[in-house]
Amino acid sequence: MIQVCLNGRRGADASAAVPLSPEALARSAAEAVAAGATDIHVHPRTPCGQDTLSPRVVAATLTAIRAAVRVPVGVTTGAWAEPDPRRRVERVREWSVLPDHASVNWHEPGAEELAAALLERGVGVEAGLWSGTEGHRLFRRSPLASRVLRVLAEVTDTDPATATGSARLLLAEVGTAHGRPVLLHGEDGGAWPVAALAFRLGLATRIGAEDVTVLPDGRPARSNAELVTAAVRLRQTSRI
């Protein structure tokens, strides 16, 4: 599986590939799916460009994207979108339009309660386990571990020379006892090396403007579709 991460916290000034409005996100999603993406991760944004868990903004974003594609669509629940853990859970319970899945960063305060609220509403949970955090230890002890949709193994090492080593260490720390599928991905300089490793290991991965804004050869990407096309080609050449 190749998941496309459409925007993340990047602004339009970071790359021409970053869509922001619901309409732009829908166009970008449709192009990325046509290029080979089979799942979508998006950060709903306010008109001024801030990540938000607002029911109104989440609904508008999901509705626009679903009108353009027929693949699962997930959203972030990162603490930067709502710093108060209690308020974050309240926001999820206020959603009128539900995503297919939502990422929960297990090292953030209130992750267990947030994941439980999502599961109660029938929303799949991507357990975000970041390298360099306690997320993997907390997740291994979690009674919810076997109920998540997948593990999102996120490599924060952006050095292309060391990112794959960091990825292997993270995978070892996460282990397999949870029994859930793993999506492995990196960011910035580590994005393409980690994606290649994911393909070699037969794991799902993700690519898109949230994680990287350049192609494997260093050229700026013009769109999420161009990034997905490059990932599809990488998959063809990376498998053992």
Side-chain angles (χ1 to χ4, degrees):
M1 180 184 84
I2 297 176
Q3 180 185 81
V4 61
C5 46
L6 295 174
N7 57 351
R9 288 187 281 174
R10 298 188 198 268
D13 57 338
S15 169
V18 181
L20 297 177
S21 70
E23 296 75 21
L25 288 164
R27 288 193 299 271
S28 186
E31 293 168 357
V33 169
T38 55
D39 194 277
I40 292 168
H41 173 78
V42 64
H43 289 211
R45 308 283 278 272
T46 66
C48 60
Q50 299 299 310
D51 278 23
T52 182
L53 303 183
S54 158
R56 179 181 58 81
V57 178
V58 170
T61 301
L62 292 174
T63 299
I65 293 174
R66 284 178 171 150
V69 300
R70 294 292 182 269
V71 301
V73 184
V75 302
T76 184
T77 63
W80 55 86
E82 174 49 68
D84 183 342
R86 191 172 301 175
R87 181 60 176 151
R88 209 176 312 145
V89 171
E90 291 173 355
R91 282 300 213 182
V92 163
R93 288 178 173 152
E94 292 167 354
W95 285 349
S96 58
V97 177
L98 297 177
D100 296 287
H101 52 76
S103 60
V104 176
N105 298 321
W106 230 263
H107 64 281
E108 293 178 347
E112 290 275 345
E113 294 78 7
L114 180 59
L118 288 163
L119 291 169
E120 287 170 7
R121 301 212 64 192
V123 178
V125 172
E126 292 183 311
L129 308 183
W130 294 21
S131 63
T133 73
E134 293 295 304
H136 63 92
R137 293 186 180 89
L138 296 171
F139 181 71
R140 286 205 310 268
R141 299 197 297 265
S142 173
L144 302 179
S146 64
R147 297 178 58 194
V148 304
L149 175 66
R150 66 176 68 94
V151 168
L152 195 62
E154 307 197 27
V155 180
T156 58
D157 181 354
T158 60
D159 186 338
T162 58
T164 56
S166 296
R168 290 185 182 278
L169 175 59
L170 176 60
L171 291 174
E173 290 172 335
V174 171
T176 59
H178 49 79
R180 307 311 302 146
V182 174
L183 186 158
L184 174 67
H185 76 97
E187 58 186 46
D188 293 323
W192 291 112
V194 172
L197 176 63
F199 290 136
R200 290 197 298 274
L201 297 176
L203 301 176
T205 193
R206 82 177 198 186
I207 208 73
E210 173 175 354
D211 288 345
V212 65
T213 59
V214 298
L215 299 168
D217 62 7
R219 289 182 296 120
R222 294 171 294 182
S223 66
N224 278 303
E226 194 170 24
L227 290 165
V228 171
T229 297
V232 170
R233 290 175 182 153
L234 183 64
R235 178 172 60 187
Q236 294 168 348
T237 60
S238 296
R239 287 178 172 168
I240 298 173

